[in-house]
Structures are given as structure tokens and as C-alpha cells.
Amino acid sequence: VAIDNQGTLYIATDNGISLGWNVELGLFFENYDDSFGIASNVINQVVIDNANTAVYLATNNGLSVSSLGFFDEFTNYLNGANVSSFSIRNGVWYLGVTGEQHGVYISIDQGETFTRRKLDPVDIVPVLDVEVTEFAIYASTASGLAVSVDGGENFNFYTPDNSAIASSTVNKVVALRNTSIQAVATSRGLIISE
């Protein structure tokens, strides 16, 4: 779920994206699917860049981007990849990917090229969620929280064996911008760390 500067509500679903308007009048919804140029009807996450009016849809068939608002034409990237999550920081794109092409994908040129970063040496860890701050890249996985402080070159894993995380399955991480505080949602509860 995301909301833009005009108050439009964006809801990611398994049957496209639902947009909601007029909250004061009872919320009117319209649904948009792959017939509108979206890479897939299965939307895993929606991100709104209000500063640039861009809409990013992480789908199970790549990333769909409308750079001038939702009703502009969509461009699709990483077709065939199950993009579980998307984050943008200083114009750099970060994609969490599950499935055969799993990993963290980074694009410094707004999707022209992507660099795949493996989280572990044996390359078996799909990324459920990715979050980026000025301090680090955080990747939620079923094997713990992977953290990179060097732009994705190397990742360190935090698990119940070496940290206060109660479960290796980390579903979501939210990092408070411009701080080193993270909220980590696991299969056994919420952890707040600094």
C-alpha cells in the first residue's frame, strides 16, 4: 500500500493494482492489470516517488515503472524475474528478487543495466525485501537479515545464532531514514535495533 501527494491510494494485489480516490466521499476504487502495460497482474509492492511523480511496481514478472505518474506509459525491467521488493535512494534502484534469479539487483542508470549481488557464497538466498539508507543495504531473507555497508559488495548475515533476531525468517525490514535504527519483522515477532 502506498499513497501519493494527491491522496491517491495504491494497493498491490494478486490481480493488478487498485487505485482509490475520494477518501472523504467513501473511497472509490479502480483496478488496473497487465492490459495497461504492467509486467504482471501479481503486484508484490508499490513504491511512489512523490518528488519525481514516478510509480514503481515490483511484480512476479519484473519491475514496472511509470516515470510521470500512474497514467503515463509503463516500462518493464528484469522481465521474468520475481521482483519481491523495490527501494530507491539517490536515484539508484535496488530490487529484491526471489526465484531462480534471486539476489539484490542494483541499477545506477535507472534500469538501463543491473548488477546482481549475491548475498552468500553458495548463492542460495532469495531476497524477500530490500531497504536502503545512507548507512546500509538491508535484505530480508529466510536465512536471516543480510546487511551490506559497502554498496552491496559484501553482506553480513544476522540470525538467531549471532544476534537478538528471534527467527531466521525475516519477512520485512524498515530502516528509519537518516538513522541506524531498523524495525525487523520476523516469523516470531518484531525486533527494533540500532
Side-chain angles (χ1 to χ4, degrees):
V1 175
I3 193 164
D4 69 15
N5 285 342
Q6 283 73 45
T8 303
L9 186 63
Y10 296 76
I11 302 172
T13 76
D14 287 343
N15 194 26
I17 184 146
S18 292
L19 273 61
W21 293 277
N22 296 328
V23 174
E24 304 88 26
L25 301 175
L27 206 56
F28 169 74
F29 284 99
E30 283 189 32
N31 199 59
Y32 297 89
D33 58 21
D34 58 1
S35 67
F36 289 87
I38 299 168
S40 170
N41 286 336
V42 179
I43 312 293
N44 297 317
Q45 183 186 23
V46 57
V47 173
I48 307 296
D49 181 357
N50 282 308
N52 298 310
T53 67
V55 177
Y56 303 89
L57 304 176
T59 80
N60 72 343
N61 189 33
L63 177 72
S64 293
V65 179
S66 178
S67 54
L68 295 174
F70 185 80
F71 295 104
D72 190 38
E73 185 174 313
F74 278 92
T75 303
N76 297 312
Y77 302 91
L78 279 184
N79 295 331
N82 187 0
V83 180
S84 59
S85 59
F86 174 82
S87 186
I88 186 170
R89 175 129 179 104
N90 297 327
V92 178
W93 295 2
Y94 301 85
L95 287 73
V97 176
T98 63
E100 291 182 22
Q101 301 170 333
H102 59 268
V104 171
Y105 287 74
I106 301 172
S107 178
I108 61 171
D109 52 16
Q110 291 73 46
E112 293 297 319
T113 60
F114 287 91
T115 302
R116 179 177 176 248
R117 299 293 186 198
K118 298 187 293 184
L119 302 185
D120 64 331
V122 292
D123 191 27
I124 60 170
V125 180
V127 177
L128 306 174
D129 184 45
V130 65
E131 176 81 353
V132 182
T133 69
E134 67 182 80
F135 300 107
I137 300 169
Y138 302 94
S140 302
T141 77
S143 299
L145 179 65
V147 180
S148 174
V149 294
D150 60 8
E153 292 293 325
N154 301 288
F155 284 87
N156 293 315
F157 272 84
Y158 295 88
T159 69
D161 295 335
N162 65 5
S163 72
I165 292 177
S167 170
S168 290
T169 302
V170 177
N171 300 309
K172 177 90 174 151
V173 60
V174 175
L176 301 180
R177 303 286 182 203
N178 301 320
T179 74
S180 59
I181 300 171
Q182 306 88 40
V184 180
T186 74
S187 61
R188 292 189 174 184
L190 181 68
I191 306 292
I192 306 291
S193 71
E194 286 191 61

